[in-house]
Structure formats: C-alpha cells, structure tokens
Amino acid sequence: MKIKTESSTKKKTQMLCGFVLEKTNKVLGLGKYDAKTTSAINQSVRDNEGKLGRISIVPVPGKKPAQRILLAGIGKKEDLSKDTIRGVSGKIALKARELKLKEFSIITPPSFVSEQTLAVTQIIEGAKMALYKFDKFKAEKADESPDLTVIVSKSNKISKAIKTAQAVADGAIFTKNVGNMPPNECTPTTMANFAKTISKKNKMKCTVISKPELKKRGFGGITAVGQGSKNEPKLIIMEHNRGPRNEKPIVLVGKAVTFDTGGISLKPGANMDEMKFDKCGGCTVLGIMKAVSELRLPINVIGIVPSVENMPDGESYRPGDIIKLYSGKTAEILNTDAEGRLILADAMAYGEKHYSPKAIIDFATLTGACIIALGTNVAGMVSNNEKLADKIRDASKRTTEEVWELPLNQDFMDQIKSEVADMKNIGIGRAAGTITAAAFLRNAIKDTPWTHLDIAGVAWNQPATKEKSYNPKGATGFGVRLILDYLQNL
Ligand code: BES
Ligand code: MN
Ligand code: ZN
C-alpha cells in the first residue's frame, strides 16, 4: 500500500472518507458538494449518527471527483481517545479492501478532534496495520492493499509525521509477521536471519553468537534452556549507532523462545500451540530496531535477542540442575518451564557489561500469572527506576499501548533465594508469579535503570482481547509503537 498526501478534497478518488462525530450533522472537513449530493450525504450522516465505528457509504452520481463518500462514526467528542482515529481508520481500510478498490482517500479531521500530526499518524498506523494479513502459508492470499491518500494541509511537520508513521507501522507489521510464524518454520536460526536481513538493509551491525561460543563465554542460561533442542540457541545483537559517539545507548532485550513446551516440566497439551508466540518479545525488539534504523533516529540503541527452543529430550536441562548465568550468579532450576528468565538474565547481564547503557528495557511473554493479574489488554511493568517507568507510562498514554506497574519489594527478592544456589528459578507456589519472575531478572544486573514489560497477555489475540481493527487475529506487535514513541521523546 502506498501513502500519498493531498491538500484538497477535490482530487479524483474511488472513495473519499470522512469522520462524523456523534450528535453533529456534518462530515468533518468534507467541503462543499452540489445540492443533490449534499442532501444524500446529510441523510446518511443522520442514519450513521456518528456512532463509534459505524460506516455508511453514499454513492456520488455523475462525474464527481469522488465516486463515493464513506462516513465513519467516531462517537462522542468527549469520549475521543488517542486510539479512536486509529481504530476507525483501520475499519475504513478494511472496507476499501472489501470493495476491491485500488485506492481511497481519508480526510484528516480538524484539529479540535486531534492534533493534526497525531491524527495523520493514527490514520496511517490504523490503515496499514489493519490491512496486514498472515497468509504466507495459504494458497488463497488477501487481496492487494489499496493505496491511501491522506487529505491534510501540507507542512514539514506533517511530512515527517507521515514518514514516521509508515516506519512505525511497518515495524509493528514486521513484529506481527515474525510472531505469527509457525515453530517448525521459525527456529533460533531463522530469528537470527531476520535480524541479519533488517540489519543489512539499514546498516546496523549485527552479531550472532552460536552454541559453542555461548557455552565457552559463560551464557549458562541460554545454553541450558537450548540444550534439549536440535535447533541450536542463538544470541542476536543488533547495534544502531547514530547518536553522539560518547552517549550511552538504550539496550532493548527480547525473549525469543521459538517454541515453549515447558521442557522436562512439560506443559499440558491444551493450547500448547500458542507457545509459538513465546518469541514475541524478541520479535518486538526486531520490529523496533527495524523502524529505528529505517528512520535513522539520532540515538544509540542496542537490540539483544536471546533465542532458544525449549524442548524435552535426553539432553534437556532438568529440575534440580544448578547452572551458572552470565552474571556469575548460580541458579537452581526447579521448573524447566520457567525458562524465559534464564535466557533474559544472560542477555541483560551481557547488555549491561558490554554497553554500560543508560537504560535496559526488556520484553517477554514471561508469565501466565500476568494474564491472571492484568488480563489480555494491559502489559505488566516492573522497574527499578521510577523515572524510566514514568517515561514509559507517558509513552503508553500517547500510544494507548497500556502498561501497569507491579511492585518489586525486597520481599520478592527474598522469595527467589535458594538453599543450594544464589537463586532459584521460581517463587513460592504461585504467589505473584509475574513479580518473582521480574525479581530473578533484577538479579542479572547491577544498578542500571531497567524496566521489564511482561507481554504474556497482550502479545497475541486471546479470547478476552479487546477487538481492534488494526490487530487482526494472531500476534499484535505490542510494544513497538510504545517504545518507538519513548525513543523519539528521549
Ligand atoms: N512462556 C511462558 C509464559 C506464558 C504462559 C505466556 C501462557 C503466555 C501464556 C513461560 O515460559 C512459562 O511457562 N512460565 C511459567 C512460570 C512458572 C513455571 C513459574 C508459568 O507462567 O506458568
Ligand atoms: Mn515456559
Ligand atoms: Zn516461555
């Protein structure tokens, strides 16, 4: 799908789309039409009522610049959120594809609905993400995405917002697409190849550390979890260095378990297929790095993705094992299904040691407990630094990717102490499973500002996931928009 801009509604288009507020009687920004068309539009506006997400189409007879007009309700003015236009724009785009159009145009609503750059951003993100479909393995492919013209008064600020929105949406789509890959087609090696491809395209340095080297260099967590699979573990490192030479980077770490069977502590069979999404944290890091490098953001960002497959096997690690992590600390394994924290701990310790970063942010489908605590629409957040957590909360408010912070008190640090090693890899019973997992991660680093995002509930569409036009079934790409916003507002 191509994106263009136009400053007038008078250009030829197969479908001109405008937003309608509830309790008003006009299409925002539409401009003037002849008497007959105007009365048809007015009738349609009355029928539509501006109800959120409701779509009405008015055919325009005669030789008019627009073949039809689409009215899209956006609800009451006082209920508008920073997600409204994104969601409705996605619905419009799906309608345009359903009508098999080649192109369509959306009028940016006036500034009293949303700041213009924000509205344009939401229009583009919504349309692009909604039209993404995972059809790689189907003979019948989705119809080609129609091109979009955004109607808006042009300025440098708007052109920049458009470029950014496209890269952000492409990043999120990339994350969804890799996240949706089946585990037989996406191994740690595949993850590394994806990283190499995006790095090569946008001139990032990309290093992949393989099994023998991981073992030799003391990555005990990654090595242990990966040893039960014939698909060998990889540690992937991408470096985007476009900031000042001496500026400390932001390190992003993402869990990429390409399939999580639980290992010797085998998971029950029901819905085990969903554990192909256990690589989504790593996919988030890939999507962010893709966009950061495409946009040439003038900052230093390092993406680190530990990738393994967690399988039961004669060579698997076992409950009872004591392993030595990259940090030098030892961990007693009491459940091989608590594997994410082991590979993340290695990656975080590596990130801190080699880059002395300004901040570490990690993403992981880490605990089922997070779904119990916060459901499927809010990510769990745990941090050792309130300033960093505040910045991520601010980005969350702007992007509507929701987070909620959980406390990490000394009590929780105590709960993962082991009798026989420095730590154990599970807490006490099931109490606060999300926090005891985070407590384990906290031990991997010294005092670098760090924020952990548990995306177990939000990384893919689950039964209780709120329906959004721009989040079709499967992986959601959660975190890409959030952290790109954070990085752009550093
Ligand atoms: N990948 C899972 C967490 C998960 C489960 C995410 C279901 C999304 C949906 C993780 O590796 C795991 O298995 N965690 C265990 C930890 C437990 C053994 C302490 C869990 O949540 O049950
Ligand atoms: Mn697990
Ligand atoms: Zn897992």
Side-chain angles (χ1 to χ4, degrees), residues 255 257 259-262 267 275 277-279 310 336-341 343 365-367:
K255 169 181 174 182
V257 177
F259 195 67
D260 182 12
T261 64
K267 284 182 181 296
M275 283 300 112
F277 294 119
D278 213 21
K279 60 184 175 305
N310 189 18
T336 62
D337 198 12
E339 83 296 343
R341 62 199 75 183
I343 67 169
T365 49
L366 202 61
T367 62

Side-chain angles (χ1 to χ4, degrees), residues 9 36 54 75 133 139 153 224 263-264 305 346 354 363 396 420 428 430 438 441:
T9 57
K36 221 167 132 193
R54 191 183 282 176
K133 198 154 189 250
S153 343
I264 297 300
V305 178
D346 275 359
H354 285 263
F363 312 85
S396 167
V420 292
I428 301 172
R430 291 161 72 181
L441 300 182

Side-chain angles (χ1 to χ4, degrees), residues 132-190:
Y132 162 71
K133 198 154 189 250
F134 182 62
D135 55 13
K136 190 175 189 308
F137 296 93
K138 280 177 79 79
E140 195 184 319
K141 309 288 184 198
D143 288 325
E144 219 189 304
S145 294
D147 294 336
L148 165 62
T149 303
V150 182
I151 297 172
V152 61
S153 343
K154 295 182 192 179
S155 71
N156 286 339
K157 220 173 136 192
I158 293 288
S159 329
K160 191 175 168 226
I162 288 171
K163 235 180 87 191
T164 304
Q166 290 192 70
V168 170
D170 283 337
I173 289 168
F174 185 79
T175 296
K176 293 178 194 223
N177 208 30
V178 180
N180 285 330
M181 289 282 281
N184 59 327
E185 294 278 341
C186 187
T187 64
T189 302
T190 321

Side-chain angles (χ1 to χ4, degrees), residues 45 48 63 81 206 224 334 397 485:
V45 169
N48 183 286
K63 273 204 164 157
S81 82
C206 179
L334 290 176
K397 283 174 192 147
D485 181 289

